[in-house]
Amino acid sequence: MKSVTAVINIAALKANIETIKGFTPQSKIIAVVKANAYGHGLITVAQALTDQVDAFAVARLPEAMELRAAGITKPVVLLEGFLNDEDIPTISAQGFFTAIHDMEQIEAIERTAIAKPIHAWLKIDIGMHRLGASREQVQQMKQRLEQSSKIVQPIGLISHLSVADTHGMEDYNQEQIAYFFEVAKDFTGDLCLANSAGIISWPQARTAYVRPGIIMYGISPYPDKTGPDLGLQPVMTLKSSIIAIRKVKKGDRVGYGAAWTAPYDTILGIVAAGYGDGYPRTMPNGAPVLINGRYAPTAGHVCMDMLFVDLGPESKDKIGDEAILWGQGLPVEKIPYELVCRIMPRVNMEVQA
Ligand SMILES: *Cc1c(COP(=O)(O)O)cnc(C)c1O
């Protein structure tokens, strides 16, 4: 019997990249593999995709170093830039591409001794108000980068859409795209705008480089659609087994805090998966678990190592039967999708060609 296992489906991952290329055939693909490839395994994902994509993107320098240590030679983009001056020589030596979102970072590069010029993408704020040069700062930062012998020329331009997936915000999104291209008129370097929702919903945002994240993993960025609705395949399936079956009577109070009371005589399955694996303790009663081809609802509080499922009074399920918590047949968007990033270290990772 298997305990909690995250099966990573490489064929699905590769098919999703082809689907993304279908949306934006002219673009080069920067595969976003930050946060351990959204929980799917940084090196597993990068090695599977290295011949199929043009570059990788991460949030932090240690993630970029892990890619190099694993033999990945493709360009790696640091989406947040660098956090410390000490990182600048490494970025230069490794040939990483870095976002430059603040004048302070340009000054840091200028005062640091480096072996070769750095690939810089000027990051501008077009409406998110998180990172990036403001309207007032753009020209000054651009000139400063263009004049620097420590920067590879021509510099690129990068930005991020804040409402590409938000219904009712289409005008604000259009405004952001229009402003990006207004600034871009003066740039001869590479342009990079669209993330997942930009790629799917906004043809104008399909720049020379695009940065798909969540859709690579087969997950929809929209609240009202699943990955399969968009032609994507779930890459991670999290599953475990039923390790005990028990009958309860109407009125029996189940689990910690007696948080679920059986509304009828029924049969419970005890599944070996809990918050120690990354299935949240706060999950409400009734979350779906896929068992023998049907959705069965969870019952009571999720424990550290186990959870309860109401299999129903007619259940024929047996000890050892598989319980799928999300993935194939149960899109993780039906649970909350950020859970793929929260798998705990004790979960077995199984790579399936
Ligand atoms: C995480 C991230 C992405 C990928 O976003 P998705 O919505 O997952 O496609 C792209 N660009 C930046 C700057 C990011 O931080």
Side-chain angles (χ1 to χ4, degrees):
M1 227 187 299
K2 279 202 175 158
S3 70
V4 185
T5 303
V7 180
I8 305 300
N9 182 336
I10 299 297
L13 179 69
K14 288 173 153 292
N16 291 340
I17 295 290
E18 291 310 312
T19 303
I20 293 165
K21 287 182 178 174
F23 281 115
T24 183
Q26 320 300 337
S27 302
K28 292 187 176 171
I29 306 287
I30 304 176
V32 180
V33 292
K34 61 188 177 185
N36 195 29
Y38 292 50
H40 293 66
L42 174 64
I43 302 309
T44 301
V45 168
Q47 284 176 340
L49 295 185
T50 193
D51 294 333
Q52 211 181 353
V53 301
D54 300 281
F56 293 100
V58 294
R60 313 267 160 81
L61 187 61
E63 299 173 312
M65 295 304 283
E66 255 186 82
L67 288 172
R68 285 288 183 267
I72 301 289
T73 54
K74 281 270 155 86
V76 179
V77 182
L78 299 168
L79 294 170
E80 288 178 10
F82 49 89
L83 307 185
N84 302 296
D85 288 18
E86 302 88 84
D87 297 341
I88 296 170
T90 310
I91 291 171
S92 157
Q94 297 290 339
F96 295 144
F97 287 45
T98 182
I100 298 285
H101 59 81
D102 195 280
M103 188 61 101
E104 160 59 26
Q105 293 184 307
I106 305 177
E107 288 163 4
I109 292 174
E110 287 184 345
R111 64 175 175 255
T112 303
I114 49 176
K116 7 176 223 180
I118 286 178
H119 294 271
W121 286 25
L122 176 58
K123 170 125 183 179
I124 60 168
D125 175 18
I126 59 174
M128 172 88 111
H129 305 308
R130 185 175 65 181
L131 291 183
S134 66
R135 284 172 189 260
E136 295 73 37
Q137 295 166 323
V138 175
Q139 288 312 321
Q140 206 190 353
M141 286 174 64
K142 174 174 181 283
Q143 279 167 14
R144 189 83 176 258
L145 286 167
E146 285 173 347
Q147 285 158 8
S148 175
S149 60
K150 291 182 171 168
I151 299 292
V152 174
Q153 303 297 333
I155 57 170
L157 183 70
I158 189 166
S159 194
H160 198 46
L161 297 164
S162 67
V163 292
D165 56 359
T166 312
H167 295 306
M169 288 281 174
E170 288 75 10
D171 289 351
Y172 188 42
N173 189 66
Q174 295 276 23
E175 237 177 77
Q176 295 184 18
I177 295 175
Y179 173 55
F180 179 83
F181 283 104
E182 186 191 316
V183 175
K185 279 196 299 226
D186 302 334
F187 279 73
T188 53
D190 294 316
L191 305 183
C192 183
L193 180 56
N195 66 342
S196 291
I199 291 168
I200 293 185
S201 299
W202 297 96
Q204 315 95 295
R206 295 172 189 157
T207 37
Y209 282 84
V210 293
R211 306 185 304 276
I214 197 85
I215 54 176
M216 291 201 312
Y217 308 102
I219 301 171
S220 163
Y222 309 99
D224 57 345
K225 286 201 176 73
T226 65
D229 293 339
L230 300 168
L232 303 164
Q233 303 174 29
V235 175
M236 179 193 292
T237 295
L238 189 72
K239 58 188 185 184
S240 187
S241 307
I242 297 178
I243 60 168
I245 302 260
R246 61 191 320 120
K247 291 188 171 160
V248 290
K249 292 255 177 270
K250 179 177 177 178
D252 281 354
R253 289 178 283 190
V254 171
Y256 287 121
W260 189 78
T261 302
Y264 37 70
D265 294 358
T266 189
I267 299 173
L268 294 181
I270 313 301
V271 173
Y275 61 84
D277 303 295
Y279 196 88
R281 184 172 178 284
T282 50
M283 193 70 100
N285 285 326
V289 178
L290 182 60
I291 293 175
N292 291 319
R294 72 184 191 285
Y295 292 154
T298 57
H301 283 318
V302 172
C303 312
M304 183 179 277
D305 313 302
M306 287 170 272
L307 55 80
F308 302 91
V309 177
D310 178 9
L311 298 171
E314 310 300 328
S315 160
K316 301 276 186 297
D317 308 289
K318 300 180 303 300
I319 289 176
D321 285 356
E322 187 174 271
I324 292 183
L325 300 159
W326 63 69
Q328 197 69 50
L330 176 51
V332 69
E333 299 90 320
K334 293 194 187 291
I335 327 288
Y337 75 62
E338 69 267 23
L339 291 184
V340 292
C341 298
R342 295 210 215 134
I343 300 275
M344 296 297 222
R346 77 175 185 191
V347 171
N348 305 308
M349 299 296 286
E350 189 180 298
V351 179
Q352 174 191 322

